[in-house]
Amino acid sequence: PVFAFNLRRSGKEISLGVANYAAALSDICLAFHVDCIVCVDAGVDSVLRGDEEGVGTFGEDLLTLLAVRKVES
């Protein structure tokens, strides 16, 4: 299953950076007793031409990889 979460701490919305994303993932892992995180790339990158404006998938992929790497086991 995929879990959607709101990045709020102490009632305040926080920015999505590597540290905050990793903290949110850690919270989910603790709450649901997750033993392993498997990252799957949907492959959108392979159909790009390279001249698209505002392509976000590269940044999102990197953010996810860096955040998952910081999740404490």
Side-chain angles (χ1 to χ4, degrees):
V2 176
F3 297 97
F5 53 93
N6 189 353
L7 288 173
R8 288 183 175 272
R9 299 234 186 237
S10 303
K12 291 183 175 182
E13 191 169 325
I14 59 175
S15 63
L16 183 62
V18 174
N20 292 334
Y21 193 9
L25 289 172
S26 292
D27 290 347
I28 291 170
C29 290
L30 287 172
F32 294 98
H33 308 287
V34 173
D35 294 323
C36 176
I37 298 174
V38 178
C39 297
V40 178
D41 189 350
V44 172
D45 308 356
S46 64
V47 295
L48 298 178
R49 292 185 345 198
D51 60 350
E52 291 80 9
E53 284 187 35
V55 177
T57 61
F58 301 115
E60 292 162 3
D61 290 352
L62 183 59
L63 177 69
T64 299
L65 290 173
L66 293 173
V68 167
R69 192 166 175 205
K70 287 183 159 283
V71 172
E72 296 290 325
S73 55

